[in-house]
Short mmCIF file of all heavy atoms in Angstrom, two decimals:
data_model
loop_
_atom_site.label_atom_id
_atom_site.label_comp_id
_atom_site.label_asym_id
_atom_site.label_seq_id
_atom_site.Cartn_x
_atom_site.Cartn_y
_atom_site.Cartn_z
N TYR A 228 -11.48 -8.60 -2.54
CA TYR A 228 -12.26 -7.46 -2.88
C TYR A 228 -11.33 -6.40 -3.46
O TYR A 228 -11.58 -5.73 -4.44
CB TYR A 228 -13.05 -6.96 -1.72
CG TYR A 228 -13.47 -5.56 -1.84
CD1 TYR A 228 -14.59 -5.15 -2.55
CD2 TYR A 228 -12.77 -4.50 -1.21
CE1 TYR A 228 -15.02 -3.86 -2.64
CE2 TYR A 228 -13.17 -3.22 -1.27
CZ TYR A 228 -14.22 -2.86 -2.04
OH TYR A 228 -14.65 -1.55 -2.12
N LYS A 229 -10.26 -6.07 -2.75
CA LYS A 229 -9.29 -4.98 -3.14
C LYS A 229 -8.71 -5.31 -4.54
O LYS A 229 -8.53 -4.36 -5.32
CB LYS A 229 -8.15 -4.86 -2.12
CG LYS A 229 -8.65 -4.21 -0.86
CD LYS A 229 -7.48 -3.61 -0.03
CE LYS A 229 -6.54 -4.63 0.48
NZ LYS A 229 -5.50 -4.05 1.32
N VAL A 230 -8.42 -6.52 -4.78
CA VAL A 230 -7.88 -6.87 -6.13
C VAL A 230 -8.94 -6.68 -7.18
O VAL A 230 -8.60 -6.05 -8.22
CB VAL A 230 -7.44 -8.39 -6.11
CG1 VAL A 230 -7.06 -8.80 -7.58
CG2 VAL A 230 -6.30 -8.67 -5.20
N LEU A 231 -10.17 -7.09 -6.97
CA LEU A 231 -11.19 -6.92 -8.01
C LEU A 231 -11.46 -5.45 -8.19
O LEU A 231 -11.81 -4.99 -9.30
CB LEU A 231 -12.38 -7.66 -7.55
CG LEU A 231 -12.33 -9.21 -7.45
CD1 LEU A 231 -13.58 -9.83 -6.93
CD2 LEU A 231 -11.91 -9.78 -8.81
N TYR A 232 -11.43 -4.71 -7.11
CA TYR A 232 -11.67 -3.25 -7.27
C TYR A 232 -10.55 -2.57 -8.01
O TYR A 232 -10.81 -1.72 -8.91
CB TYR A 232 -11.77 -2.58 -5.81
CG TYR A 232 -12.33 -1.14 -5.85
CD1 TYR A 232 -13.64 -0.92 -5.48
CD2 TYR A 232 -11.57 -0.11 -6.33
CE1 TYR A 232 -14.15 0.36 -5.49
CE2 TYR A 232 -12.08 1.14 -6.40
CZ TYR A 232 -13.36 1.39 -5.95
OH TYR A 232 -13.92 2.67 -6.01
N ALA A 233 -9.31 -2.92 -7.70
CA ALA A 233 -8.21 -2.33 -8.47
C ALA A 233 -8.20 -2.66 -9.91
O ALA A 233 -7.79 -1.84 -10.74
CB ALA A 233 -6.83 -2.87 -7.83
N PHE A 234 -8.74 -3.86 -10.27
CA PHE A 234 -8.90 -4.15 -11.72
C PHE A 234 -10.18 -3.71 -12.29
O PHE A 234 -10.59 -4.10 -13.39
CB PHE A 234 -8.76 -5.71 -11.80
CG PHE A 234 -7.40 -6.23 -11.85
CD1 PHE A 234 -6.74 -6.50 -10.65
CD2 PHE A 234 -6.68 -6.51 -13.03
CE1 PHE A 234 -5.40 -6.96 -10.65
CE2 PHE A 234 -5.44 -6.92 -13.05
CZ PHE A 234 -4.76 -7.17 -11.86
N LYS A 235 -10.91 -2.83 -11.52
CA LYS A 235 -12.13 -2.13 -12.07
C LYS A 235 -13.26 -3.18 -12.40
O LYS A 235 -14.00 -2.87 -13.29
CB LYS A 235 -11.82 -1.25 -13.23
CG LYS A 235 -10.73 -0.17 -12.95
CD LYS A 235 -10.54 0.75 -14.12
CE LYS A 235 -9.43 1.75 -13.78
NZ LYS A 235 -9.62 2.54 -12.54
N LEU A 236 -13.34 -4.21 -11.66
CA LEU A 236 -14.41 -5.18 -11.84
C LEU A 236 -15.62 -4.88 -10.95
O LEU A 236 -16.64 -5.53 -10.99
CB LEU A 236 -13.90 -6.60 -11.62
CG LEU A 236 -12.85 -7.08 -12.64
CD1 LEU A 236 -12.50 -8.51 -12.34
CD2 LEU A 236 -13.36 -6.97 -14.11
N LEU A 237 -15.46 -3.96 -10.02
CA LEU A 237 -16.50 -3.49 -9.13
C LEU A 237 -16.27 -2.11 -8.69
O LEU A 237 -15.15 -1.56 -8.80
CB LEU A 237 -16.67 -4.48 -7.92
CG LEU A 237 -15.39 -4.79 -7.08
CD1 LEU A 237 -15.29 -3.79 -5.96
CD2 LEU A 237 -15.48 -6.17 -6.64
N LYS A 238 -17.30 -1.46 -8.19
CA LYS A 238 -17.20 -0.05 -7.74
C LYS A 238 -17.73 0.23 -6.34
O LYS A 238 -17.39 1.28 -5.82
CB LYS A 238 -18.02 0.83 -8.74
CG LYS A 238 -17.41 0.85 -10.15
CD LYS A 238 -18.21 1.86 -11.10
CE LYS A 238 -17.61 1.94 -12.43
NZ LYS A 238 -18.32 2.88 -13.33
N GLN A 239 -18.54 -0.64 -5.75
CA GLN A 239 -19.08 -0.37 -4.46
C GLN A 239 -18.09 -0.64 -3.37
O GLN A 239 -17.03 -1.20 -3.55
CB GLN A 239 -20.37 -1.25 -4.24
CG GLN A 239 -20.06 -2.74 -4.15
CD GLN A 239 -20.23 -3.45 -5.45
OE1 GLN A 239 -19.65 -3.03 -6.45
NE2 GLN A 239 -21.05 -4.51 -5.47
N ASP A 240 -18.38 -0.12 -2.20
CA ASP A 240 -17.51 -0.36 -1.08
C ASP A 240 -17.59 -1.81 -0.55
O ASP A 240 -18.47 -2.55 -1.04
CB ASP A 240 -17.77 0.67 0.09
CG ASP A 240 -19.18 0.51 0.67
OD1 ASP A 240 -19.83 -0.45 0.47
OD2 ASP A 240 -19.57 1.48 1.40
N TYR A 241 -16.70 -2.11 0.33
CA TYR A 241 -16.62 -3.57 0.75
C TYR A 241 -17.87 -4.07 1.48
O TYR A 241 -18.37 -5.18 1.08
CB TYR A 241 -15.39 -3.72 1.72
CG TYR A 241 -15.26 -5.14 2.23
CD1 TYR A 241 -15.08 -6.21 1.33
CD2 TYR A 241 -15.35 -5.43 3.63
CE1 TYR A 241 -14.95 -7.57 1.84
CE2 TYR A 241 -15.20 -6.70 4.12
CZ TYR A 241 -15.05 -7.75 3.20
OH TYR A 241 -14.95 -9.05 3.66
N PRO A 242 -18.48 -3.38 2.43
CA PRO A 242 -19.65 -3.92 3.04
C PRO A 242 -20.83 -4.15 2.06
O PRO A 242 -21.53 -5.13 2.07
CB PRO A 242 -20.04 -2.87 4.06
CG PRO A 242 -18.81 -2.16 4.39
CD PRO A 242 -17.99 -2.10 3.12
N SER A 243 -20.96 -3.22 1.09
CA SER A 243 -22.00 -3.40 0.07
C SER A 243 -21.74 -4.59 -0.82
O SER A 243 -22.64 -5.37 -1.13
CB SER A 243 -22.18 -2.13 -0.78
OG SER A 243 -22.41 -0.98 0.00
N TRP A 244 -20.48 -4.68 -1.21
CA TRP A 244 -20.09 -5.88 -2.06
C TRP A 244 -20.28 -7.22 -1.33
O TRP A 244 -20.86 -8.12 -1.92
CB TRP A 244 -18.65 -5.72 -2.46
CG TRP A 244 -18.09 -6.86 -3.29
CD1 TRP A 244 -18.23 -7.14 -4.55
CD2 TRP A 244 -17.24 -7.90 -2.71
NE1 TRP A 244 -17.59 -8.28 -4.92
CE2 TRP A 244 -16.94 -8.79 -3.84
CE3 TRP A 244 -16.73 -8.25 -1.52
CZ2 TRP A 244 -16.13 -9.91 -3.75
CZ3 TRP A 244 -15.90 -9.36 -1.35
CH2 TRP A 244 -15.63 -10.18 -2.43
N ARG A 245 -19.85 -7.19 -0.06
CA ARG A 245 -19.99 -8.49 0.71
C ARG A 245 -21.33 -8.90 0.96
O ARG A 245 -21.72 -10.05 0.86
CB ARG A 245 -19.21 -8.26 2.07
CG ARG A 245 -19.26 -9.50 2.99
CD ARG A 245 -18.46 -10.64 2.38
NE ARG A 245 -18.53 -11.81 3.25
CZ ARG A 245 -19.50 -12.75 3.11
NH1 ARG A 245 -20.40 -12.67 2.15
NH2 ARG A 245 -19.46 -13.82 3.90
N SER A 246 -22.27 -7.92 1.26
CA SER A 246 -23.62 -8.29 1.54
C SER A 246 -24.41 -8.64 0.27
O SER A 246 -25.45 -9.42 0.34
CB SER A 246 -24.31 -7.06 2.27
OG SER A 246 -24.34 -5.99 1.41
N GLY A 247 -23.99 -8.18 -0.92
CA GLY A 247 -24.75 -8.45 -2.10
C GLY A 247 -24.18 -9.43 -3.03
O GLY A 247 -24.63 -9.69 -4.13
N LYS A 248 -23.07 -10.08 -2.58
CA LYS A 248 -22.35 -10.96 -3.46
C LYS A 248 -22.39 -12.39 -2.98
O LYS A 248 -22.17 -12.66 -1.76
CB LYS A 248 -20.81 -10.54 -3.56
CG LYS A 248 -19.96 -11.27 -4.52
CD LYS A 248 -20.20 -10.80 -5.97
CE LYS A 248 -19.22 -11.37 -6.94
NZ LYS A 248 -19.48 -10.99 -8.32
N SER A 249 -22.74 -13.34 -3.81
CA SER A 249 -22.77 -14.74 -3.36
C SER A 249 -21.93 -15.64 -4.28
O SER A 249 -21.75 -16.85 -3.94
CB SER A 249 -24.22 -15.18 -3.42
OG SER A 249 -24.78 -15.12 -4.72
N LYS A 250 -21.44 -15.18 -5.39
CA LYS A 250 -20.68 -16.01 -6.34
C LYS A 250 -19.78 -15.13 -7.17
O LYS A 250 -20.08 -14.01 -7.58
CB LYS A 250 -21.62 -16.73 -7.23
CG LYS A 250 -21.05 -17.82 -8.18
CD LYS A 250 -22.10 -18.51 -8.95
CE LYS A 250 -21.49 -19.60 -9.87
NZ LYS A 250 -20.74 -20.57 -9.13
N LEU A 251 -18.60 -15.71 -7.47
CA LEU A 251 -17.62 -15.02 -8.30
C LEU A 251 -17.96 -15.25 -9.81
O LEU A 251 -18.37 -16.42 -10.17
CB LEU A 251 -16.21 -15.49 -8.07
CG LEU A 251 -15.61 -15.13 -6.72
CD1 LEU A 251 -14.30 -15.87 -6.53
CD2 LEU A 251 -15.42 -13.62 -6.55
N THR A 252 -17.74 -14.29 -10.65
CA THR A 252 -17.94 -14.52 -12.08
C THR A 252 -16.71 -15.19 -12.68
O THR A 252 -15.65 -15.25 -12.00
CB THR A 252 -18.11 -13.16 -12.82
OG1 THR A 252 -16.94 -12.37 -12.75
CG2 THR A 252 -19.27 -12.34 -12.19
#
Side-chain angles (χ1 to χ4, degrees):
Y228 159 82
K229 288 199 295 183
V230 173
L231 297 176
Y232 193 106
F234 278 85
K235 302 186 184 303
L236 295 182
L237 51 92
K238 293 184 178 180
Q239 67 266 52
D240 62 15
Y241 177 62
S243 301
W244 176 80
R245 179 65 183 92
S246 62
K248 187 77 171 175
S249 60
K250 187 176 179 62
L251 294 170
T252 67

